[in-house]
Amino acid sequence: MTEDSLDGGAPGFRARSGWTRAQASGIERTDETVAPVFYPPENDQIPHVHIWDTWFLRERDGTLAEVEGYRVCFSLTAPADLLPGKRHDVATIRCFYSADGRNWHDAGPVFEEALGQRQWAGSALYDDGSVYVFYTAAGQDDAEELTYAQRIVGAGGGTIDADGGFALRGPWTHHELLSPDGERYEREDQSRGMIYTFRDPWFFEDPETGETWLLFEANSPVPEGSDACDGDVAQQEFNGSVGVARSPTGDPLEWELDDPLLDAVGTNQELERPHVVYRDGRYYLFVSSHLHTFAPGLEGFDALYGFVAEDFRGEYVPLNGSGLVVTNPENAPFQSYSWMAFAHGDEVLVQSFFNYFDFAGPVLDDIAHLSEAEQMRRFGGTLAPTLRLDVDGTRTRIIGKLGHWEIPMAGESLPPTEAELIRRA
Ligand code: FRU
């Protein structure tokens, strides 16, 4: 698709990189991309809440932060007795901490008050002794009904107090950082398909240039009458993009919208929780996406997809040809979601949440037809086992897994993989 073909005469922006239908039509399960089947953990460490999207407190350079001997994560949470499908409507960000990367403890809800009706995913930065939490304010603050408006917010002012236990304290100040401009990023009133997206902020400092970026999930406006996707309106409605804003000064609370990094017009509507892992001089861009958000005529999975470029703003090409990096087994297609990759020595580790297990239905909506007891029984609502990935240029390969909630710090050695053990025997 060329620039001309997208805008159909109206103003329009094209990301330099695109995830094309031709590339996505190559998506298929392979030995390298299918995760092993997971089982529920023997004991749920945090039984009182359901946990899904999760992110770690990180330093400006992306490494996991260790503060006073603790590693720290943030998760979207909902009461454990709530039906899983309802969790997005009440999502609250909680903080968890661990001294060993295996046993985690609940430090409670992060904010007493936050913007939006509920909070969706984000990222967290530890900078000069201060904690910043970036999140999505979902819903209009004072509306009576639940709404789906989305804004990107940064909360500053957090500190960690680890004298005699762990506490994350405010007072927090919440700053509305970004909302869609309607030109590069679709506003709610422009959306012609599924619900628009403008969410999931993720902090990234470019190690080569020192520039500071905030990535987010968005959609590219495709005006009516546009000849994008050869004018096929049904395909145009699937217009996911990876948005990005730049902080001219490096200040984590000051951002200016920039052109999208990548879009998937005609291919997929939701490029969720975009994030970048820098390794071997390359930029690996990862997103999560769903089976049901691929445009008509394409078949994908609930999966982690990835792209690689030589520069942060360079031309991204899909990993493994199609973009598929990690998916669920065919007989458990919804067992994990919302993957987050991070560098660990020679490997890349991938954390996600344990979603629906013992469930092989064709579409996620089928879950609503199960009895409430069955929906509850089949929902993991906790962190999944961490996956180990070998990344080599444009190819990736799952090489093993760690335990549920197992999050090693850089420098902590990993056990040999199964393949290594077989080779040694
Ligand atoms: C992914 C996601 C995020 C969003 C959150 C809402 O699992 O859809 O994009 O922030 O869940 O619960």
Side-chain angles (χ1 to χ4, degrees):
M1 228 183 314
T2 64
E3 185 152 343
D4 297 343
S5 70
L6 181 75
D7 62 23
F13 283 85
R14 224 35 253 273
R16 172 142 180 235
S17 311
W19 190 17
T20 67
R21 290 177 63 86
Q23 292 160 348
S25 65
I27 294 170
E28 58 171 351
R29 286 193 167 89
T30 60
D31 289 350
E32 290 75 30
T33 54
V34 175
V37 173
F38 302 155
Y39 297 95
E42 272 162 29
N43 59 334
D44 188 347
Q45 303 202 27
I46 318 278
H48 54 288
V49 285
H50 279 154
I51 288 169
W52 63 108
D53 294 13
T54 295
W55 56 94
F56 293 94
L57 183 64
R58 293 177 305 127
E59 306 278 352
R60 285 191 86 101
D61 69 1
T63 51
L64 305 194
E66 189 162 31
V67 186
E68 314 262 356
Y70 294 107
R71 54 207 89 179
V72 180
C73 77
F74 298 85
S75 301
L76 300 186
T77 66
D81 55 4
L82 193 77
L83 269 186
K86 296 260 177 277
R87 67 187 192 277
H88 306 284
D89 301 345
V90 301
T92 302
I93 299 173
R94 277 178 182 256
C95 175
F96 301 96
Y97 61 98
S98 169
D100 62 3
R102 286 191 176 82
N103 297 292
W104 291 81
H105 310 280
D106 187 358
V110 176
F111 307 124
E112 266 168 40
E113 273 181 57
L115 301 188
Q117 296 171 316
R118 65 260 191 226
Q119 289 72 51
W120 287 354
S123 59
L125 171 69
Y126 190 61
D127 190 20
D128 217 7
S130 255
V131 177
Y132 295 85
V133 177
F134 303 98
Y135 66 90
T136 311
Q140 271 153 278
D141 299 280
D142 38 17
E144 280 178 19
E145 308 268 286
L146 205 60
T147 77
Y148 290 87
Q150 294 158 54
R151 287 165 294 159
I152 289 173
V153 176
T159 48
I160 288 172
D161 177 357
D163 285 349
F166 177 98
L168 172 63
R169 299 220 167 87
W172 298 95
T173 50
H174 296 258
H175 305 256
E176 185 172 322
L177 302 177
L178 299 166
S179 52
D181 59 1
E183 283 187 38
R184 288 174 279 206
Y185 298 109
E186 185 174 77
R187 292 188 314 261
E188 189 171 16
D189 62 3
Q190 295 171 302
S191 169
R192 295 196 278 140
M194 297 170 158
I195 177 83
Y196 85 124
T197 70
F198 193 81
R199 58 178 186 249
D200 302 354
W202 193 84
F203 182 93
F204 178 67
E205 192 170 85
D206 187 333
E208 289 188 7
T209 64
E211 285 183 307
T212 310
W213 300 95
L214 200 67
L215 280 72
F216 52 89
E217 173 187 3
N219 295 100
S220 292
V222 182
E224 251 170 85
S226 158
D227 55 10
C229 319
D230 296 326
D232 184 331
V233 176
Q235 287 180 14
Q236 290 175 355
E237 290 177 2
F238 293 78
N239 56 344
S241 76
V242 174
V244 71
R246 199 173 78 89
S247 170
T249 59
D251 181 341
L253 296 174
E254 229 176 87
W255 300 94
E256 292 171 0
L257 284 179
D258 209 290
D259 293 352
L261 267 196
L262 173 132
D263 68 42
V265 175
T267 301
N268 193 306
Q269 208 261 350
E270 289 193 343
L271 307 184
E272 307 215 273
R273 303 195 66 203
H275 57 285
V276 169
V277 175
Y278 177 80
R279 52 179 288 125
D280 298 337
R282 299 194 180 93
Y283 296 76
Y284 288 87
L285 168 65
F286 295 100
V287 298
S288 289
S289 197
H290 288 293
L291 164 156
H292 67 269
T293 56
F294 280 90
L298 291 174
E299 276 178 42
F301 311 117
D302 274 36
L304 176 74
Y305 297 92
F307 307 85
V308 60
E310 296 290 333
D311 302 300
F312 177 70
R313 290 229 59 122
E315 201 157 336
Y316 284 87
V317 299
L319 295 171
N320 305 317
S322 69
L324 182 64
V325 175
V326 171
T327 191
N328 296 317
E330 199 171 0
N331 59 353
F334 306 114
Q335 77 169 8
S336 279
Y337 193 65
S338 214
W339 293 265
M340 266 278 145
F342 55 100
H344 184 92
D346 292 344
E347 297 181 21
V348 169
L349 300 180
V350 184
Q351 155 270 315
S352 65
F353 77 95
F354 188 37
N355 193 7
Y356 288 97
F357 61 93
D358 199 7
F359 181 81
V363 284
L364 195 56
D365 290 348
D366 273 6
I367 283 163
H369 303 145
L370 298 175
S371 72
E372 294 193 354
E374 281 300 287
Q375 292 181 44
M376 295 295 269
R377 184 181 75 74
R378 289 182 157 101
F379 186 60
T382 187
L383 284 202
T386 303
L387 289 173
R388 301 170 66 171
L389 211 60
D390 176 56
V391 175
D392 183 10
T394 60
R395 313 298 302 180
T396 67
R397 189 164 58 96
I398 297 172
I399 52 172
K401 69 172 168 57
L402 305 171
H404 289 263
W405 283 96
E406 189 173 344
I407 307 295
M409 297 294 292
E412 285 175 6
S413 60
L414 303 182
T417 61
E418 265 177 47
E420 280 166 348
L421 285 174
I422 291 167
R423 237 177 282 136
R424 282 186 207 170

